[in-house]
Amino acid sequence: MSNLTEKTTIYLTPRTKKFILHKAVTEGRSASDIINDTLEDMLEDLDDIKEIQKRRKEPSVSFENALKELKKLPKQISLRLTEAIYKLSEDPRKKAMFDQWSGVRAGGSELENIE
């Protein structure tokens, strides 16, 4: 937590207060840290929601088309970008498609056999 904090009073329901205090003790942190971190996460989520709303009207790109576009890039760059996509994909079919397209298999945290 930042040293630049201000004291304030908030009113919590007994259930919320009990939850925060329990979490603080369990994690070895202060209730103030728990509340600040939670509020900061919520503010970040609101920023993400605003960005999603702003981009809602943008055309979507299928996984397959994204791979086709990445294939047009130089091999080193496209492999690094597709590695990020690969890590985000939970769909084994998409991972297999990536493996077939790239000619490599993903292993650990990096792609192996990068030329």
Side-chain angles (χ1 to χ4, degrees):
M1 185 169 70
S2 170
N3 291 334
L4 302 174
T5 59
E6 291 184 26
K7 184 176 180 177
T8 190
T9 301
I10 60 171
Y11 295 92
L12 304 171
T13 64
R15 181 174 179 242
T16 302
K17 182 178 178 182
K18 182 177 179 180
F19 174 82
I20 291 170
L21 293 176
H22 176 73
K23 185 173 174 82
V25 168
T26 302
E27 295 180 8
R29 300 168 58 204
S30 70
S32 181
D33 282 343
I34 300 292
I35 293 167
N36 275 307
D37 288 349
T38 301
L39 290 173
E40 286 175 17
D41 288 346
M42 290 173 66
L43 290 172
E44 185 178 324
D45 290 345
L46 285 175
D47 288 340
D48 292 343
I49 290 168
K50 286 179 187 175
E51 189 64 29
I52 289 167
Q53 289 172 341
K54 190 167 78 175
R55 294 178 169 215
R56 189 157 268 159
K57 293 182 182 177
E58 289 181 6
S60 61
V61 178
S62 71
F63 184 82
E64 294 81 7
N65 287 338
L67 283 180
K68 286 178 188 175
E69 289 299 314
L70 289 171
K71 192 171 184 177
K72 295 176 185 176
L73 297 173
K75 189 82 170 171
Q76 257 332 66
I77 295 170
S78 64
L79 284 174
R80 299 265 184 241
L81 292 172
T82 52
E83 178 183 12
I85 294 170
Y86 183 93
K87 288 178 181 178
L88 293 173
S89 177
E90 296 294 325
D91 187 340
R93 293 173 298 161
K94 290 178 181 173
K95 288 185 178 188
M97 187 184 309
F98 169 78
D99 289 341
Q100 181 182 11
W101 170 80
S102 65
V104 297
R105 296 209 36 92
S109 62
E110 295 182 35
L111 289 176
E112 298 171 355
N113 304 322
I114 294 178
E115 298 169 357

